[in-house]
Amino acid sequence: MKKKINVLLINGPNLNLLGTREPNIYGNNTLQDLINNLKKKSEKLNILLNHIQSNAEHILIEKIHSAKEDNIDYIIINPAAFTHTSIALRDALIATSIPFIEVHISNIYSRENFRSHSWFSDISQGVITGLGLEGYYWAKQYLKDV
Ligand SMILES: O=C1C[C@@](O)(C(=O)O)C[C@@H](O)[C@@H]1O
């Protein structure tokens, strides 16, 4: 049987407000619903999904630092606003050298100019942007075959 894949899903600031935050951009589903569904579907694919959402940069950095000890094989990350600001999170991901997929709910290239720059895309395995919450499901789907 194929080995279980240990995946860490990281959601950055304000994503705890999914469902009420700018629903025209981010939709009506809550983060809790998303995580429950993703976990269920991941189990069927032999993926163990661990999740963290935080509004604090240092908490996300520390979680990335411990990812190796936690035997994480892969990271899926929506850095949210940190996408456009955080060299510290970028450095943490480089330091752990765990491959990761960058996900955005909205299309960061079709919004304000400042959202078009990501500190993560060039060091990511790939980027999914603008497919709504489906983006997280596609990332998980990709990982089932790695
Ligand atoms: O908080 C977010 C969410 C986001 O990462 C997205 O998922 O579309 C896009 C970012 O520009 C924004 O700051």
Side-chain angles (χ1 to χ4, degrees):
M1 205 174 117
K2 216 180 144 214
K3 171 181 162 277
K4 225 183 179 90
I5 309 174
N6 221 354
V7 174
L8 173 62
L9 170 60
I10 300 176
N11 275 303
N14 301 308
L15 292 171
N16 55 312
L17 300 180
L18 282 180
T20 55
R21 172 194 185 198
E22 299 178 90
N24 54 319
I25 297 174
Y26 299 110
N28 297 302
N29 293 315
T30 65
L31 182 63
Q32 201 50 57
D33 285 345
L34 169 72
I35 299 307
N36 291 344
N37 276 326
L38 263 178
K39 279 194 173 169
K40 255 189 244 152
K41 294 196 167 154
S42 297
E43 262 168 41
K44 290 190 186 136
L45 300 175
N46 223 14
I47 294 172
L48 182 66
L49 191 79
N50 308 268
H51 175 245
I52 181 172
Q53 187 282 324
S54 180
N55 298 319
E57 196 175 24
H58 73 280
I59 291 179
L60 299 179
I61 291 170
E62 280 156 18
K63 190 71 183 177
I64 293 168
H65 288 175
S66 59
K68 266 260 147 70
E69 285 159 39
D70 296 340
N71 295 316
I72 298 297
D73 301 304
Y74 236 99
I75 293 174
I76 301 172
I77 183 167
N78 183 346
F82 290 145
T83 306
H84 321 296
T85 63
S86 184
I87 298 172
L89 264 179
R90 174 192 170 93
D91 284 350
L93 285 162
I94 292 172
T96 53
S97 69
I98 296 173
F100 73 91
I101 301 174
E102 177 183 351
V103 172
H104 299 284
I105 300 164
S106 64
N107 181 346
I108 58 171
Y109 301 104
S110 68
R111 299 180 63 190
E112 301 97 321
N113 277 342
F114 65 82
R115 291 187 205 275
S116 295
H117 181 260
S118 164
W119 285 107
F120 300 86
S121 302
D122 64 313
I123 55 162
S124 73
Q125 178 101 35
V127 183
I128 301 173
T129 185
L131 302 186
L133 296 184
E134 281 300 309
Y136 292 96
Y137 292 93
W138 284 115
K140 159 207 63 93
Q141 209 58 22
Y142 171 79
L143 292 180
K144 85 176 197 322
D145 297 321
V146 295

